[in-house]
Amino acid sequence: MLRFIGGLIRPYRGTLIIIFAAMLVETLMSLAAPWPLKIILDNVVGDKKMQPWLHDLLRPMLEHGNRLHVALIAAGLYVAIAALGALASYIDNYFTESAGQWVAHDLRMRVYNHLQQLSLGYYSTHQTGPILSTLTSDISTIQSFASSSTLDILVDMLTIVSMLVLMFWLNWDFTLIALAVTPFLLLFVSRFKKSVKAATKEVRKEQSAIVATVQQGLESMQVVKAFGQEKAEEEMLAAVSQATVAAALKARSVKALLSPVVTVVVAGCTAVVLWRGAALILAGTMTVGSLTVYLAYLSRFFKPVKDLATTTNAIAQVTVGVERVREILDTDAMIPEKEDALEPALLTGEIAFENVAFGYAADEPILTDVSFRIKPGEFVGIVGPTGAGKSTVVSLIPRFYDVNKGIVTVDGVDVRDYKLKNLRDQIGYVLQDTVLFHGTILENIAFGNPHASREEIIAAAKLANADEFIAKMPMGYDTPVGERGSTLSGGQRQRIGIARVMVRNSPILLLDEPTAALDSESEKLVIEALETLMKGRTVIAIAHRLTTIRDANQIIVIADGVVAEDGSHAELLQKGGIYAELYRTQFDTGEKAAVS
Ligand code: ADP
């Protein structure tokens, strides 16, 4: 874990050195802070002769040993120490914050970049909520830790060591008393660390369940309302929210124990030191000033010990955060791209499947042996029973998934040999329901081709039969559509989807039942738009309503994982197989419906 965080902060070495230097100065100043008081107690109020080195140091400022003058110098030193410490603390905080923010930015981009490259398979098995919560909460935990806590640990160690040296120098047997409890304290702290980590992990898990529940509920608000499930949704959130509270309370019981235990232990040590110190002062073997410095150090000595304990809490949290981030970064569900992948300018659109086998899960084959060939510019229909794998066949062409066996070629080249972006740029996709983004209509159409000009977009919308309704909207092409395009009708969304593919101008067009969800009136407009779009392209259309593919050059019937039939509409009807049966069913029910 430390190596992971080390890697994250490496680019900010320079800043870290500044922060570290500032922390050192802060530490030195906190070590020096009780010394002016010692000078006043011992050399001004008390009668002790100044140590020769201190006397030499201050000599230029001393006027014939005037005691008040010494007090003034000590008071001045006090301010100087505080001011220098404050300046160092400012520099420390300033740079810590900026390093933390940049580390978080880098990590966020790294995780998001990885998420963009993961295959669709990852998303069908992972919920969005936990991913969201990793991208936000876990990364901010790592952010605060990466910049401050790692250095805090170093500085704490240094403080402890230097205080020990000074304490031994002041009075070594006292120091032994103080040290006697330290091993027990450290033992307690490490025990504590384990339970806090376990509790923290539980809390984070429950927190991400909250995000997941809320996200899912908000996303399906329409269904929730339609089925009157608001109460159930609330109860679902209440359950996970209560689980979070329970987990957090459990973590709290452990965490709340630390500080009181340390305080009591420190008080015990301090009491012993006070009692022994008084005796030593009375015996004349220790000065009041030394005891003061000693007491100041004693209380400070345990602060870093306590801090180390708090840091273990932070470590527990960040370990969990790092684990969750790495779970994403270490997922290797990517569609691999070859080093020397091809980037042809424009494909002709010849497509072939050769003995393709594929399944989403290893033990559940969907396609067992699929072979077919499509010439450039051909219009091919794919039909078959629901769940036969029609969409699956189509999704193998842009490599949403990779085949398990056999090959898929475009223009005679295995799709795995193309650069992914290049391959997908050559493909236009119209699905059963077009997903629109929160943004203007213009932006939504430009999603198909970010380089398209406003004129090109309008021309595409005209060809897609969309210009008419867009022009009637309050702000025309600059009208914002609601999230997921909820302000538009299904037919309008489809026509925007077609315009989007129109501006893409790709040689291959994949249609996955684009008219299935439409009423016959919008269907007519959409089909008209599709016919314009299809001109001069290789088209593969999955069709439910067989009338839409009657004119196809070739119809492929997928059933039981293979190409069951293959031919033109007339040929397949004559053959009297699955297609003829499907066609007859649709035709018959149509006729019956008309009769009744
Ligand atoms: P069709 O388009 O012919 O109706 P699909 O290609 O959508 O069929 O689905 C074929 C089979 O694969 C179905 O049994 C479906 O449940 C399964 N399937 C589809 N998509 C996924 C996925 N992302 N993960 C797992 N199984 C899937």
Side-chain angles (χ1 to χ4, degrees):
M1 184 209 56
L2 280 179
R3 190 165 333 134
F4 181 79
I5 291 185
L8 288 178
I9 55 184
R10 190 162 307 130
Y12 303 100
R13 270 180 302 229
T15 315
L16 286 192
I17 290 173
I18 297 177
I19 298 173
F20 188 61
M23 282 179 151
L24 275 188
V25 174
E26 270 183 276
T27 310
L28 281 179
M29 291 307 110
S30 81
L31 288 175
W35 287 81
L37 182 61
K38 176 171 156 58
I39 294 176
I40 289 190
L41 287 177
D42 287 356
N43 310 113
V44 179
V45 184
D47 282 331
K48 196 178 173 226
K49 275 237 165 308
M50 238 182 241
Q51 300 230 351
W53 61 269
L54 188 60
H55 193 267
D56 287 351
L57 201 71
L58 298 182
R59 191 180 348 235
M61 293 178 274
L62 285 174
E63 275 175 21
H64 340 289
N66 182 336
R67 288 193 179 189
L68 273 184
H69 202 129
V70 176
L72 200 63
I73 291 173
L77 268 182
Y78 189 79
V79 174
I81 290 170
L84 199 56
L87 178 69
S89 147
Y90 170 77
I91 294 176
D92 166 13
N93 287 332
Y94 184 95
F95 285 104
T96 296
E97 182 63 23
S98 63
Q101 291 296 343
W102 286 115
V103 163
H105 169 79
D106 293 349
L107 187 58
R108 212 159 21 233
M109 292 323 291
R110 199 164 129 198
V111 173
Y112 198 54
N113 175 276
H114 194 80
L115 284 170
Q116 295 281 355
Q117 288 174 29
L118 287 176
S119 82
L120 285 176
Y122 178 82
Y123 294 96
S124 46
T125 49
H126 289 76
Q127 251 188 316
T128 321
I131 300 179
L132 279 181
S133 126
T134 297
L135 260 175
T136 52
S137 321
D138 289 322
I139 289 187
S140 52
T141 313
I142 297 176
Q143 166 200 330
S144 56
F145 182 83
S147 49
S148 60
S149 303
T150 33
L151 290 177
D152 282 348
I153 296 173
L154 275 180
V155 172
D156 280 349
M157 303 263 195
L158 269 176
T159 312
I160 291 176
V161 171
S162 33
M163 276 188 187
L164 279 180
V165 171
L166 283 171
M167 282 157 93
F168 268 110
W169 178 66
L170 277 174
N171 198 322
W172 63 270
D173 52 350
F174 257 13
T175 312
L176 284 183
I177 299 175
L179 277 187
V181 292
T182 317
F184 299 103
L185 210 55
L186 285 178
L187 197 72
F188 171 72
V189 165
S190 70
R191 273 288 181 84
F192 171 84
K193 185 177 137 184
K194 266 198 207 116
S195 5
V196 169
K197 188 186 164 191
T200 308
K201 192 162 187 167
E202 194 57 35
V203 173
R204 287 294 304 131
K205 212 176 92 200
E206 296 299 345
Q207 278 172 344
S208 82
I210 290 190
V211 179
T213 312
V214 170
Q215 186 240 354
Q216 194 166 307
L218 293 182
E219 219 174 57
S220 27
M221 198 49 95
Q222 198 180 8
V223 186
V224 171
K225 287 193 185 302
F227 287 88
Q229 292 293 320
E230 292 96 334
K231 240 303 28 80
E233 286 290 314
E234 270 175 40
E235 278 160 15
M236 218 138 80
L237 182 64
V240 277
S241 180
Q242 272 161 9
T244 314
V245 172
L249 291 186
K250 207 166 110 198
R252 170 216 57 183
S253 324
V254 191
K255 274 195 266 186
L257 206 60
L258 180 72
S259 188
V261 170
V262 175
T263 307
V264 170
V265 172
V266 173
C269 286
T270 313
V272 175
V273 167
L274 272 176
W275 172 62
R276 287 277 305 141
L280 287 180
I281 290 172
L282 287 181
T285 50
M286 191 182 204
T287 65
V288 178
S290 289
L291 182 64
T292 318
V293 171
Y294 204 87
L295 283 173
Y297 278 2
L298 198 60
S299 68
R300 274 167 211 238
F301 174 76
F302 285 107
K303 187 184 164 290
V305 174
K306 207 161 130 181
D307 275 356
L308 277 181
T310 330
T311 314
T312 57
N313 186 8
I315 291 180
Q317 280 186 10
V318 84
T319 314
V320 175
V322 166
E323 273 170 18
R324 290 166 53 99
V325 165
R326 288 188 52 173
E327 229 167 68
I328 295 180
L329 288 180
D330 292 347
T331 305
D332 198 18
M334 291 206 248
I335 295 286
E337 194 167 61
K338 286 202 173 148
E339 282 282 320
D340 51 350
L342 303 174
E343 285 184 88
L346 199 65
L347 298 170
T348 63
E350 183 198 22
I351 297 170
F353 275 53
E354 290 171 22
N355 309 104
V356 167
F358 174 78
Y360 293 98
D363 50 350
E364 277 177 59
I366 306 286
L367 308 174
T368 48
D369 186 5
V370 171
S371 304
F372 59 81
R373 189 166 291 274
I374 301 169
K375 291 206 263 305
E378 259 190 342
F379 169 27
V380 171
I382 297 191
V383 298
T386 306
K390 303 182 290 291
S391 305
T392 307
V393 165
V394 165
S395 68
L396 294 177
I397 301 170
R399 277 189 86 197
F400 289 151
Y401 304 94
D402 271 338
V403 298
N404 298 348
K405 259 192 259 160
I407 57 172
V408 175
T409 65
V410 172
D411 279 20
V413 175
D414 190 333
V415 285
R416 286 170 291 200
D417 291 343
Y418 289 113
K419 247 195 152 40
L420 265 182
K421 176 153 171 45
N422 186 275
L423 173 70
R424 290 176 185 170
D425 276 350
Q426 317 256 3
I427 298 173
Y429 224 121
V430 186
L431 303 174
Q432 196 177 100
D433 193 12
T434 297
V435 176
L436 299 183
F437 302 95
H438 195 84
T440 65
I441 290 187
L442 193 85
E443 286 163 351
N444 265 291
I445 298 178
F447 196 75
N449 176 7
H451 305 296
S453 67
R454 196 181 172 92
E455 289 70 38
E456 283 169 321
I457 289 175
I458 295 176
K462 283 192 172 135
L463 289 174
N465 274 341
D467 180 66
E468 199 183 331
F469 80 83
I470 297 173
K472 277 193 205 137
M473 299 193 128
M475 290 156 75
Y477 282 83
D478 300 310
T479 310
V481 297
E483 211 160 329
R484 296 176 158 254
S486 55
T487 49
L488 299 176
S489 77
Q492 291 173 332
R493 275 206 297 277
Q494 286 311 73
R495 282 177 275 159
I496 290 183
I498 292 171
R500 193 187 259 176
V501 175
M502 206 80 91
V503 291
R504 200 171 175 78
N505 201 15
S506 47
I508 299 171
L509 181 60
L510 306 179
L511 307 176
D512 194 344
E513 305 194 46
T515 61
L518 303 180
D519 56 82
S520 48
E521 181 126 359
S522 354
E523 186 181 6
K524 220 177 87 213
L525 285 171
V526 170
I527 288 184
E528 222 175 81
L530 281 173
E531 276 165 2
T532 318
L533 178 62
M534 283 158 62
K535 280 199 190 99
R537 304 177 210 272
T538 305
V539 181
I540 301 187
I542 297 177
H544 222 66
R545 287 184 217 169
L546 302 184
T547 46
T548 53
I549 52 155
R550 221 167 12 190
D551 301 329
N553 303 96
Q554 188 188 173
I555 294 169
I556 295 170
V557 182
I558 302 283
D560 300 324
V562 297
V563 175
E565 291 167 21
D566 187 355
S568 70
H569 173 73
E571 284 164 3
L572 291 181
L573 268 195
Q574 197 161 34
K575 194 171 172 197
I578 302 175
Y579 180 80
E581 177 63 27
L582 279 174
Y583 192 79
R584 202 167 305 117
T585 326
Q586 281 192 8
F587 186 70
D588 281 356
T589 45
E591 207 173 43
K592 268 184 209 143
V595 170
S596 63

